[in-house]
Amino acid sequence: MFKSLLRRLKPLPRVVIETERFTLRGVSREWLGRHSFRWAENEAFLDGLGWPPGPYTRRKWTRRFTRSDNRKVFHFAIFPRGSDHLIGSHGVFFTEPGSALLYVAIGDLEWWGKGVVQEVRAALLDFVFDKAGGHRAYGQVHGRNAASMYNYQRLGFRHEGTMRQQRLLPRSNERVDLVMFGLLKEEWLARRSVREMRPDPPSTRNTG
Amino acid sequence: MNALDQARRIIAEALALPTDLAPMDGSMETLPEWDSIGHVRIVLAVEAAIGRPLPPDAMLGAIDVPSVAALLD
């Protein structure tokens, strides 16, 4: 117990990743709980994750997040570059050696539909496979979250299976499927090398 | 209206394309407007047209004009 307490008090290793538009900073769950508490009343946000509606106390909200150590469990706080305004978080949890579970939560709805997940997740896949010793990344999406399924598909994740009626959506009391996506390191590296050789497509607005 | 034209219309409206009909070869890969929000709009429009929710496997299959048309058939 004493060792566990010491581990909790020890500062997390500093992990910072820059993308074209965002800065990702590895934070503790306490930090994330404190700074994201305003999202606890946002029904669209909670529905996307399949989290129950409130009311939440700050302590209860914080405990919804897995404890992070910036070694095997990461919560990356997402900020627009040059700003300290938190817009979301992206988790990377090494649940087994080399196997990283991903989750994302964009709490600032102004940023929905502006390609945040695509840009941030691509950078985090580079991190997982190039720096953190990952061999596989995977995600789980409830069957009504078409936007999240799109985001996995567009980055080359494969649909690996569907767990039928696995998840109960707390607000609608609807039982829905859980859709599993996976991506292997060699698949990501192949996709990245193709992308690096290809010129940017014409774009009328941000994708994702 | 046949299913292909209905799919082209649904996609064009969902993605706010400047034309009434999406191009026949329009897809998730080729249309920059087909982003996550656009995808949700397409799924909801198809569900409204067929009068029932789409299962996840069908949502995953909606990647271009012909596949959206197949969901409407």
Side-chain angles (χ1 to χ4, degrees), chain A residues 21-82:
Chain A
R21 292 182 294 157
F22 306 104
T23 299
L24 318 178
R25 205 167 71 225
V27 296
S28 68
R29 82 165 176 181
E30 286 72 24
W31 188 98
L32 188 57
R34 191 163 62 247
H35 290 84
S36 68
F37 188 49
R38 64 184 182 278
W39 305 340
E41 292 179 358
N42 185 324
E43 287 179 355
F45 172 80
L46 296 173
D47 285 350
L49 290 173
W51 285 8
Y56 286 94
T57 61
R58 204 159 81 181
R59 178 181 164 82
K60 190 176 165 192
W61 177 251
T62 298
R63 290 173 77 89
R64 285 222 60 94
F65 298 96
T66 304
R67 187 176 294 284
S68 58
D69 59 10
N70 277 5
R71 293 176 179 87
K72 299 290 179 196
V73 179
F74 302 83
H75 290 297
F76 285 99
I78 305 170
F79 306 93
R81 281 183 85 144

